Amino acid sequence: MPDKLPTLSKNDENFLQRLRPSRLILPVVIGLGVVAFLFYRSYKPGELAPLQNADWRWLLVALLVLVARDLGYIYRIRHIAEDELTYRQSLDVIMIWEFASCVLPSGQGGTAAAPFILEKEGIPLGKGLAYIMVTALLDNLYYVLMVPLVVLIAGAGLYPHEALQTGFVATLRVAFGVSYVFVTLYAGLMLYAIFVNPWAVRRLLVRLFSLPILRRWRRKAYRHGQEMVLASMQLRGNGPRYWWHAAVSTAFVWTARYAIIGCLIAAFVPMDAGTFLFIFARNITYKVILLLAITPGGAGIAEGAFPTFFGSFIGTATMTSFMVLLYRVVTYYLYLVLGMVFLPRWVARVFIKRPAKTITV
């Protein structure tokens, strides 16, 4: 971070405090601690032999998938923001967004910080909220449309029966079903709000959260309803081309995100197309577990749940522990490092080279 910053608003200070380097200590210690425990419990001499016969073509594919995913994110945010961001700004936005997702609890993630990031790039808060709402809507719709497909692909194998007792599988099945229903209802509500009647949705949220059990979140519900009204006013005039490009780029980045585990496993274990699709399908249930994690970036939970969902495709427990480490390196620790590189440059550009803005919500 730069040593000297101009006078900051309270929101600016809070944001920078939440992303300060000391915040990295806890998730890194938790995540690496779980990996170390997995190795301690599972290591057997000779079980890492497949590393000597790694298929470097699949490792190259995995690298290309990661790069393509990030390029897709850069294109998507620039397109959704109606080209108000340059490619350089879009790169910074995505890197800081990913970094925030690694540092903040999974339930919040980078999405909570994204409107602030866009505001610092010169996009007014109302428009920024509308753009982030588009990304949330499209992300949810991808999930809603993809789940029936992966259920068709994997069937009962969508859940790790081989690694969990029947009771845990039943609990996971219920959690997966509840999350799907919730996301579907929420996506439908957002569609109706943005394209049909946002004021009715705002009234519905206020009335729903006026119930005694939900009253403590009433103010947040009203604010969310107001955000939907602003998003509707901002986005309703956009034509089919806008939504088509936004939808295709969303499908691209999420497909790449779910495919990375299969690419990494295929580098060390022979795999046919059917198994690759099966791993892709199971990854969606794996992500449901991560959404429930309360630790920053899902640290500890992601590492601990990985063997349960994917260990049967890898073989030995020692190789599975190695795959846990490799997967988290390329999808988590890499973005911690990139965030530490991009964050000081971004802060210097948006906080020092121009006056800090006061954000009103």
Side-chain angles (χ1 to χ4, degrees):
M1 292 285 185
D3 294 329
K4 295 182 180 180
L5 291 173
T7 302
L8 302 178
S9 70
K10 184 177 181 181
N11 282 347
D12 292 348
E13 291 179 350
N14 288 340
F15 178 80
L16 294 178
Q17 281 294 315
R18 295 173 73 189
L19 297 187
R20 64 185 186 273
S22 60
R23 290 264 186 169
L24 305 182
I25 298 175
L26 179 61
V28 169
V29 169
I30 293 175
L32 293 181
V34 172
V35 171
F37 174 75
L38 291 174
F39 269 111
Y40 172 77
R41 188 181 63 177
S42 65
Y43 180 75
K44 292 182 181 179
E47 287 192 350
L48 291 177
L51 297 182
Q52 300 176 356
N53 301 313
D55 188 338
W56 296 102
R57 293 171 299 178
W58 272 110
L59 290 176
L60 178 61
V61 169
L63 177 61
L64 292 176
V65 168
L66 284 172
V67 173
R69 187 197 74 165
D70 287 341
L71 291 176
Y73 273 128
I74 291 168
Y75 171 82
R76 183 175 79 150
I77 193 61
R78 186 171 186 268
H79 172 75
I80 288 176
E82 302 174 284
D83 294 341
E84 292 190 40
L85 299 172
T86 66
Y87 282 108
R88 161 67 191 278
Q89 288 176 303
S90 300
L91 172 62
D92 285 350
V93 166
I94 293 304
M95 290 297 107
I96 305 304
W97 191 334
E98 289 287 342
F99 182 66
S101 297
C102 294
V103 175
L104 300 176
S106 295
Q108 301 175 23
T111 302
F116 178 91
I117 298 171
L118 291 179
E119 195 276 341
K120 302 313 293 182
E121 292 291 353
I123 295 178
L125 183 59
K127 294 178 71 174
L129 287 170
Y131 297 146
I132 299 307
M133 194 162 291
V134 171
T135 68
L137 170 63
L138 293 174
D139 290 347
N140 288 334
L141 286 177
Y142 177 87
Y143 180 79
V144 169
L145 296 174
M146 187 58 66
V147 165
L149 179 60
V150 300
V151 170
L152 182 64
I153 292 173
L158 197 61
Y159 308 97
H161 295 272
E162 67 280 357
L164 293 176
Q165 297 179 355
T166 304
F168 285 107
V169 172
T171 301
L172 178 60
R173 190 189 300 271
V174 170
F176 185 65
V178 169
S179 70
Y180 181 75
V181 170
F182 176 80
V183 171
T184 301
L185 292 175
Y186 183 62
L189 192 69
M190 292 179 71
L191 280 172
Y192 184 80
I194 291 175
F195 295 106
V196 182
N197 192 340
W199 298 274
V201 172
R202 184 178 62 185
R203 289 195 300 269
L204 173 64
L205 289 174
V206 171
R207 290 175 181 176
L208 178 63
F209 282 85
S210 295
L211 297 174
I213 193 173
L214 301 174
R215 189 170 296 165
R216 59 184 296 188
W217 296 290
R218 182 179 178 181
R219 181 173 297 180
K220 290 183 179 179
Y222 174 81
R223 186 170 66 181
H224 190 49
Q226 186 62 25
E227 290 169 359
M228 289 187 179
V229 172
L230 294 173
S232 178
M233 296 171 63
Q234 173 67 32
L235 301 167
R236 192 174 288 185
N238 291 335
R241 181 183 179 278
Y242 175 87
W243 293 104
W244 171 251
H245 281 252
V248 170
S249 59
T250 296
F252 177 83
V253 297
W254 277 102
T255 300
R257 197 178 190 109
Y258 285 133
I260 188 63
I261 291 181
C263 294
L264 293 176
I265 294 176
F268 303 98
V269 179
M271 183 182 302
D272 56 28
T275 303
F276 188 93
L277 290 175
F278 201 90
I279 293 173
F280 181 93
R282 187 169 283 188
N283 197 1
I284 291 185
T285 54
Y286 174 63
K287 296 300 182 184
V288 172
I289 299 298
L290 301 189
L291 289 176
L292 302 177
I294 61 173
T295 54
I301 307 298
E303 292 86 353
F306 187 99
T308 299
F309 283 86
F310 304 107
S312 61
F313 302 104
I314 300 170
T316 66
T318 307
M319 271 301 298
T320 300
S321 299
F322 170 79
M323 289 303 306
V324 173
L325 178 61
L326 180 61
Y327 169 67
R328 291 296 276 174
V329 164
V330 301
T331 62
Y332 183 72
Y333 297 111
L334 171 63
Y335 291 96
L336 288 180
V337 174
L338 289 174
M340 292 298 293
V341 172
F342 277 84
L343 184 61
R345 294 165 47 191
W346 181 75
V347 169
R349 180 167 63 82
V350 304
F351 285 87
I352 294 178
K353 291 187 178 180
R354 66 184 184 188
K357 298 179 182 179
T358 301
I359 302 174
T360 57
V361 179

